[in-house]
Amino acid sequence: MPEQPPYLRVADELRRRIAEHLWEPGDRLPSRAQIGQECGVGENVVRRAQELLISQGVLEGRAGSGTYVAEPRQRVRVVRSSAREQPSGSPFRADMKAVGRQGDWESRTDAKVPAPADIAARLGVDEGELCVRTAYEFLADGRPVQLSTSWEPYELTAGTLVVLPEGGPHAGTGVVNRMATIGITVSHAVEQPEPRQATAEEASLLGIQKAALVTHIRRTYYSDDGRPVETVSCTEICGVPDARVTVLAKEIHQHHASTP
């Protein structure tokens, strides 16, 4: 039988220490040099072992701080759109509260941003057409778990009270409810998830190792006449099960059911 690669052997040893409670959730691991000395391997081997366990949700990297034993992941909903589609409150905050965690988000909106080619194609507009761009950072107990960027055609909402997704009287109510106030019915959404490695910027913002596995999701909402009204790009940490809510029709149905 071929010998097990050194980094897998080290990964097994790190798992054993966690399973036997030598390291508890939230504990910072010793330096790679120390682990390497204890396991008889080099620091690069330890790095590969840690990156494997980070991708599996066993460990987590914190930018500029080190590597830690990950807290047990709860099954939470952290998707931007469905966290805002119900007028009775935020399901995101409610679901986080149910598992004893504090859910929140931060956002920044820039109006009149020229659409890059890929966004223009998703929105069915010309490249360079002005859009409203909003960047979100979703937080669990103050720590980021998802990054999201929303794009809407500027001409669609220009001059209305809903031009800013997180500003005005309809702030934070979501694309379905916001569009309804200006007579646009959002009928469905299409999303495309794919796993990939985190970029350096994503890794820094999410506090994970560079090139760690994440789930990237492209989601586009359409009106009942087939026009794209919003497209969203989400990046989620792998190892947060059910972070993405797939029942998009449910939020749209709930809005229509609550409409007289």
Side-chain angles (χ1 to χ4, degrees):
M1 178 180 295
E3 185 178 353
Q4 186 180 39
Y7 81 96
L8 292 180
R9 177 169 54 82
V10 174
D12 286 343
E13 171 61 18
L14 299 185
R15 283 196 198 92
R16 182 191 66 79
R17 297 184 186 187
I18 294 169
E20 295 179 0
H21 303 286
L22 299 177
W23 297 330
E24 298 289 347
D27 285 352
R28 182 179 177 178
L29 268 62
S31 68
R32 289 174 182 166
Q34 180 178 334
I35 294 174
Q37 184 176 20
E38 293 171 356
C39 296
V41 297
E43 290 186 35
N44 284 338
V45 173
V46 177
R47 176 183 57 78
R48 287 191 66 188
Q50 289 180 341
E51 288 177 349
L52 173 65
L53 296 181
I54 288 172
S55 72
Q56 296 173 344
V58 177
L59 301 177
E60 63 179 32
R62 301 181 190 174
S65 179
T67 303
Y68 294 75
V69 179
E71 299 285 348
R73 296 290 191 180
Q74 301 286 348
R75 297 176 68 85
V76 297
R77 296 166 62 181
V78 297
V79 69
R80 185 199 71 82
S81 56
S82 63
R84 291 167 167 76
E85 301 309 344
Q86 299 180 35
S88 60
S90 165
F92 174 67
R93 287 198 175 109
D95 290 346
M96 297 297 281
K97 183 178 180 180
V99 295
R101 304 175 74 182
Q102 178 67 39
D104 204 356
W105 62 82
E106 299 175 355
S107 66
R108 174 181 173 176
T109 296
D110 297 298
K112 299 184 179 181
V113 178
D118 61 327
I119 297 299
R122 286 156 60 178
L123 288 174
V125 300
D126 293 332
E127 182 178 355
E129 185 166 325
L130 297 181
C131 291
V132 178
R133 180 184 64 194
T134 305
Y136 294 88
E137 186 175 32
F138 279 83
L139 310 171
D141 292 334
R143 295 171 59 186
V145 292
Q146 184 198 68
L147 307 173
S148 179
T149 302
S150 161
W151 295 78
E152 298 177 1
Y154 175 71
E155 61 89 16
L156 195 64
T157 57
T160 73
L161 294 176
V162 298
V163 65
L164 301 178
E166 299 295 328
H170 302 286
T173 61
V175 65
V176 174
N177 292 308
R178 287 175 47 248
M179 292 299 166
T181 68
I182 57 174
I184 297 174
T185 299
V186 177
S187 61
H188 66 285
V190 175
E191 68 175 27
Q192 298 173 289
E194 62 178 2
R196 63 166 171 77
Q197 292 182 321
T199 66
E201 181 181 10
E202 290 168 344
S204 177
L205 290 171
L206 291 171
I208 59 178
Q209 293 283 359
K210 182 180 178 181
L213 289 178
V214 294
T215 300
H216 181 69
I217 303 162
R218 292 180 295 175
R219 180 185 304 107
T220 302
Y221 283 86
Y222 294 85
S223 66
D224 56 359
D225 61 1
R227 177 178 183 176
V229 298
E230 180 194 42
T231 192
V232 183
S233 296
C234 303
T235 301
E236 300 172 352
I237 301 173
C238 286
V240 185
D242 280 357
R244 177 173 52 86
V245 181
T246 58
V247 191
L248 296 170
K250 181 178 179 182
E251 66 196 51
I252 297 171
H253 170 75
Q254 287 172 329
H255 167 79
H256 294 319
S258 65
T259 303

